[in-house]
Structure formats: C-alpha cells, structure tokens
Amino acid sequence: MASTASDGSEGADRYRRAQRGLSRLLLRDVGRLRRFLNPSRLQASFPDWLAAADEVVAQYGDMSASLAAEFFDGQRAAAEVSGDFTPPLADRPPPEQVEASLRWATHGIWAPEGEGATVTLDERLDVAESQAEAVAQKLVADQGRETIRQAVRGDRQAVGYARAAALGACAFCKLMASRGMVYATAGTAGGDANDSFLGGGTAKYHNSCNCCVIPVFRGQRFELSTHAAEWDRLYQEYAQGHSGDQLRRFRRALADRDAHPLP
C-alpha cells in the first residue's frame, strides 16, 4: 500500500514549528541590532548595522537550510524509497540581494521632506526595524525552502513538492497550498503569479511568509490537510473559471466562509 504525504502530517507540523521557532529567534536578534544605529551619527553608524544584519541573516539562513535538509531526510526515510541521497544545503542569497533588501527596509530612516518631516526619528526607526525583520525572515526562510526544492530536483526518487501554508496565511499562500502536490517547477509554485510580491527568487514567497515545502516521493500519494482541502473547495466554488479575478474572489470567499480568517 502506498504511503501518504501530507501538508497536515505530524512530520510536516513539526518541521513548520521548527522553522517558525527559528524565525522568532531571528526576529529577536534583528531587533537587538538597533543598538548599532547611533541617532546622532546615523550616516556613519549605518554600515555597522548593515554588516551585523548581514551576518545574522547568514547564520540563521544556514540553520534554516539544515532544518530543511533534516526534514527532507526524514520524509525520504518515511517513504521507504530505494537508494541513498544527501540533500545539499542551498547557498546563501547573493550579498547584493541581502544588502538591497536591507537597504529597502531601512530607506525610511533618513530625514523625510515635505509632509513626512513631522515623523520623529524614533518612529522612523520603529518602521525600519519592523521592515528589516520581515525581509530578514524571508531571506532566511527562502534558504530552507530552496534546500528542499533543490533536493527534489536532484533526487531521482522525488517526484515533486507541495506548499504548506499556516492556518492564518494570506489568500495567495492558501491558494498555492490548496493545489497540493503539483509543484515540480518554480512557476507552478507561484513564480509566475502575483507580481506585487516583493523580492526575487525562483518562487514567490512574500515578506514574513511562513509557508513550507513538503517533498513527495515515488510510490507516495499526496493528501491535502483538512484545512487545505477546504481552501480548495472554496476556490473551486467561488473563484475558479473567473479569469483575472480568481484571487480577489478567493480572498472574499475566505473572509466570508473560512474557519481560519485572514490576519
């Protein structure tokens, strides 16, 4: 009898909790970096903050990749497929991508002109800190997600992967998760959808996105979790067939009928 892989399995839940726990520690450490920014020497102290933030992202990204590789190994063992395969850890994002993301997050700390001139420096720093946490979380989580995607491409016993979204995820993530195990390419995972999402990469995951990647192996069947199956039902009933308007309709259906409303 074929084994079952699911976004709602015990192993997937453990992995999701582990990655979210890592994200919480990351956000704590990114917040602590504020001490590097000297309000009286903002221009001069910013490079120190940038270097420290880059190092934090690198350290946590490697941990995210390691968690992903361990999860892939565990899922592979549970599938009882033949042969050996060691998932390589995804590379860190290019330094220029990290710097560009962090500079985007903090661009608002510099003294604004016009109507925004009344915003205090502390308020601007608060916004910058929140945005830096969001982009750092994406960079780190992406390294873990890419580790599994690369492993699926490299392992002959892997046939694809599913996208698992949290109960309180946004409409786009719930839509991607409701598709099940259809992801063998970056495009089907969301790479050619929703151009409004920030950031580069081969698949679309927004800032602060906690979606995980679930590998599926030969001989396995994939089964949607109860909540993802409900998202699929809502999409088919209220959004499918409305070209160009599916996401809006799906978002409306979630707001009206989902047991786990949007944040």
Side-chain angles (χ1 to χ4, degrees), residues 14-211:
R14 282 198 305 269
Y15 175 57
R16 190 160 37 231
R17 288 195 300 270
Q19 287 286 11
R20 292 196 66 159
L22 188 69
S23 290
R24 285 192 292 271
L25 294 175
L26 166 70
L27 300 189
R28 178 202 65 187
D29 286 353
V30 171
R32 289 174 174 175
L33 298 180
R34 186 159 169 170
R35 69 183 186 277
F36 284 95
L37 292 171
N38 186 334
S40 63
R41 298 176 57 253
L42 200 56
Q43 193 79 38
S45 62
F46 181 75
D48 291 336
W49 177 89
L50 190 62
D54 179 80
E55 182 60 27
V56 168
V57 168
Q59 291 176 354
Y60 277 93
D62 289 346
M63 287 188 279
S64 178
S66 294
L67 284 175
E70 291 174 6
F71 174 62
F72 185 91
D73 281 340
Q75 294 296 102
R76 195 179 196 277
E80 299 182 340
V81 293
S82 61
D84 296 324
F85 179 81
T86 300
L89 303 186
D91 293 335
R92 294 173 177 176
E96 57 271 20
Q97 178 188 348
V98 178
E99 181 174 346
S101 297
L102 292 171
R103 285 188 179 277
W104 170 86
T106 55
H107 72 277
I109 63 176
W110 315 111
E113 299 178 356
E115 293 182 4
T118 58
V119 180
T120 68
L121 177 57
D122 279 344
E123 290 171 331
R124 299 198 303 273
L125 287 171
D126 286 343
V127 172
E129 180 180 321
S130 178
Q131 292 182 160
E133 290 173 350
V135 299
Q137 188 276 340
K138 180 183 185 299
L139 290 165
V140 166
D142 277 352
Q143 197 169 334
R145 291 186 281 244
E146 185 60 22
T147 293
I148 295 180
R149 289 197 298 266
Q150 288 181 0
V152 167
R153 291 194 295 268
D155 185 355
R156 293 183 178 181
Q157 296 295 340
V159 296
Y161 62 90
R163 180 166 171 160
L167 294 179
C170 71
F172 175 79
C173 291
K174 288 181 177 180
L175 177 57
M176 294 296 103
S178 73
R179 292 181 175 178
M181 202 292 292
V182 298
Y183 302 127
T185 68
T188 54
D192 52 8
N194 202 334
D195 291 336
S196 68
F197 281 7
L198 299 172
T202 57
K204 289 290 186 178
Y205 296 91
H206 56 82
N207 291 343
S208 301
C209 176
N210 287 299
C211 284

